Amino acid sequence: MIRNGPSGQSRVSAEVTVRAPMESVHGPVATGEEHPSSAPLSIHDVTVAYHRKPVLWDVDYDAPEGKLIGVIGPNGAGKSTLLKVALDLTPKASGQITFYGQPYRKQRRIVAYVPQRESVDWDFPISALEVVAMGRYGRIGWFRRVGRKHREAALAALDRVGMADYAHRQISQLSGGQQQRVFLARALAQDARIYLMDEPFAGVDAATESAIVALLQQLSAAGRTVLVVHHDLQSAAQYFDHVMLLNMRVVAAGPVETTLTEQNLRATYGGRLTLLEEAAHAMAQSRREP
Amino acid sequence: MRFARLAPALIAIGCVVATAAADATGPRSITDVRVQLPSLDQVIRVLSLRDYNTAVVVIGVTCLGIASGLIGSFMLLRKRALLGDALSHATLPGVGIAFLVMTAFGAEGKWLPGLLIGGAISGGLGVLGILAITKLTRLTEDAALGIVLSVFFGIGVAVLGVVQKVGGNAAGLESFIYGKTASMLFSDAATIAIAGGAIAMICIALIKELTLLCFDSAFAASQGWPTLLLDTLLMVFVVGVTIIGLQAVGLILMIALLIIPAAAARFWTERLTVMLIGAAVIGGVSGAIGAAISALAPRLPAGAIIVLVAGAAFLFSMICGPTRGVIARAWRLIRLQRRIGRQHLLRAMYELSEEAGANAASFTTEQIHGQRYWAHGELRAAIRAARRAGEIDMADDSRLRLSPRGREAAWRVTRNHRLWELFMVTHADIAPSHVDRDADAVEHVLDPAMVRELEAALSEQYPDLRFPPKLDAGIA
């Protein structure tokens, strides 16, 4: 059942505006281009279409700073696409996205991205440490080797996810949860201010899941903004400060307590809400199967 | 997947073996060929590179092998190995047309740089064609490769036909198809060495960037690395290696020199740098040996020999490679089976002693045999191994018993097994990806909280399993 977050973690601050579903889409931010929002991530009227089918439609969202935000919605709601379009990996049909008021290409250094685990070939001849060091490549620059300073930063990142002992393992010898931790460590090694994560809990064991959640909460406690695409509705209320309910458009966004309401969920998941709990549970189960 | 990609190259080797054999035997018998074997003096001259022409060819082709081994590794890891095949086939029309154009302008039609520039242009057009087909239609890359490869090669063959008709001194253009090192001049070898060396050096300088591209191109793009530029650069390198290899190896077999050294090196290591060095070495040595052999036996096409040597290296790597080779895998499997067999024996004896109620009882082989299903000979092998390890000994002529050390091992194995069993029942959702029965202990795989939870459940069922057996307890 949907419950309010654990009392210890709810950090609802006053400055956060709760977007009512639908209404504020064409609100006072219409002049966004002249006065770009200074939010960590500001998505303004973004539409994305593959061929002729829209995937995101007039998405409008300002991420509050220093929060752990869940992006939640059914399959095919455009959650992963939202991250990809923010990172200029997918072209947008219209709209504007800024990070602290600047376009992504000027802010790459402060944004870390954790792609879906299945997006790469884990049989690649490379060690865990080398993967994590990729998070430092942006600082290292062209042609240079990974120096000691960066190697140590990568090791420290591995240590933070509890994988220091596996630094020199080839990545195919790691379990799914360990591979996910390596991906997370790569993002940590970037030492970014904003973290965008695509289904970091997919196919990982319970221990890894709780370790990752603890880490994400540390990050947001340290003032970093963390946006997590998440599938499991049941755990969403426990894990996140804020949620964004997405189904092609933003249905609702704001603090967990006021946003994860039955009405909003009904609007996100449509008529499937009566079966919602079972469906969400079944989805979580099926995603964990290798 | 990997084998699907390699299949064309292996088939190519097979064809070459067939044609080489047919060529070598020809109207004569095999014994005639043997008579033709080079003298020791000739062999020494070639191997010591004293012969000027041979030295030129060997050095040139070695550089080619090194460069193509490096580029091929990245192509293999980028999962685009076959793109090189389409590309090399697409060079043929360019070579023919360049010949026609140069002849039409009254120049020497077989001026090599002109021919290679023509080949590079049409090779580039071939790659553009593949990109256009995959981007503009919903056809996948393999279909696009097949279309471009066959159409360009068809055009090339047709153009060569026209060239023959138009006349002029066109003899020798076919050597671009199969490769011919004998006609190689010093300037050609120098071109190969310089171009190959430059490509190899840029590759090494960009190793970090190319690795990132091959491993996770989406992440690379999100970090602002110009993935399109890097991909194009790889493509340009493949064109470059193919063009300089046309003369030596020929366009049909060029793909083999790109894929085979890289694939062979992969069997030896899990580290990229080692793989790159290995691929460069295998490519370079294959080139050198192939060029030397073809210098000794001029009737054999150099390309075929080079590819055959590389193919032999691949076969050897596939069988003997220490990390992924067939023997290494089989050996790991056998070791696993032995280990499991011994664990089965220990557990069977532990369970028997549980039933008997006494820790130190001894059992006949028949009793142990009845405890579980054993494959033929498995029990005997397990008993032998366990006796060697000092885990069991003979209580009398027909009865086996656990030694103190064996009792501890049996306790550990049984406890581990039951913990895993419990884990699979209580955490069915995640268990399949976590159970690692080969691990010495559950603790090495699962986190402490999980182990404590499982242990609590276990000691309810089997109170005896909570603590290791007392080692000082006397054995009856």
Side-chain angles (χ1 to χ4, degrees), chain B residues 19-235:
Chain B
T19 42
D23 185 39
T25 52
R28 293 164 304 172
S29 71
I30 295 170
T31 42
D32 286 340
V33 175
R34 247 187 221 163
V35 172
Q36 272 204 330
L37 276 179
S39 69
L40 189 65
D41 183 48
Q42 272 178 293
V43 173
I44 292 170
R45 273 175 63 86
V46 165
L47 288 186
S48 59
L49 299 182
R50 234 178 291 160
D51 186 71
Y52 175 76
N53 278 335
T54 315
V56 163
V57 170
V58 168
I59 291 170
V61 178
T62 306
C63 291
L64 172 70
I66 292 172
S68 59
L70 287 174
I71 293 296
S73 298
F74 285 115
M75 294 301 283
L76 200 70
L77 292 173
R78 189 79 179 105
K79 310 208 183 302
R80 292 212 170 136
L82 279 183
L83 209 54
D85 199 24
L87 206 151
S88 57
H89 280 77
T91 55
L92 189 59
V95 171
I97 291 169
F99 178 84
L100 286 178
V101 169
M102 288 190 289
T103 315
F105 282 100
E108 164 58 43
K110 283 201 287 186
W111 185 56
L112 189 65
L115 295 179
L116 294 187
I117 289 170
I121 292 173
S122 71
L125 285 177
V127 173
L128 283 182
I130 291 166
L131 288 180
I133 290 174
T134 47
K135 294 275 182 224
L136 301 179
T137 71
R138 292 195 172 192
L139 285 173
T140 49
E141 197 167 272
D142 52 346
L145 283 172
I147 293 165
V148 168
L149 184 151
S150 51
V151 168
F152 272 71
F153 192 61
I155 297 173
V157 172
V159 170
L160 283 196
V162 174
V163 167
Q164 305 287 346
K165 278 234 175 74
V166 168
N169 184 14
L173 278 193
E174 314 80 50
S175 73
F176 284 107
I177 300 180
Y178 295 114
K180 192 175 181 193
T181 51
S183 59
M184 208 183 265
L185 304 172
F186 174 78
S187 60
D188 302 339
T191 311
I192 291 181
I194 292 170
I199 288 174
M201 249 136 69
I202 300 175
C203 243
I204 291 166
L206 283 173
I207 186 168
K208 175 170 112 273
E209 289 75 10
L210 292 175
T211 309
L212 180 63
L213 173 78
C214 294
F215 176 63
D216 194 348
S217 60
F219 180 79
S222 81
Q223 290 292 291
W225 295 98
T227 49
L228 191 66
L229 182 77
L230 286 169
D231 264 333
T232 312
L233 199 65
L234 263 184
M235 239 358 79

Side-chain angles (χ1 to χ4, degrees), chain B residues 221-261:
Chain B
S222 81
Q223 290 292 291
W225 295 98
T227 49
L228 191 66
L229 182 77
L230 286 169
D231 264 333
T232 312
L233 199 65
L234 263 184
M235 239 358 79
V236 168
F237 287 164
V238 173
V239 174
V241 168
T242 306
I243 291 298
I244 60 174
L246 272 190
Q247 225 195 340
V249 182
L251 60 91
I252 292 185
L253 293 178
M254 196 49 221
I255 183 65
L257 207 49
L258 280 170
I259 297 182
I260 295 178

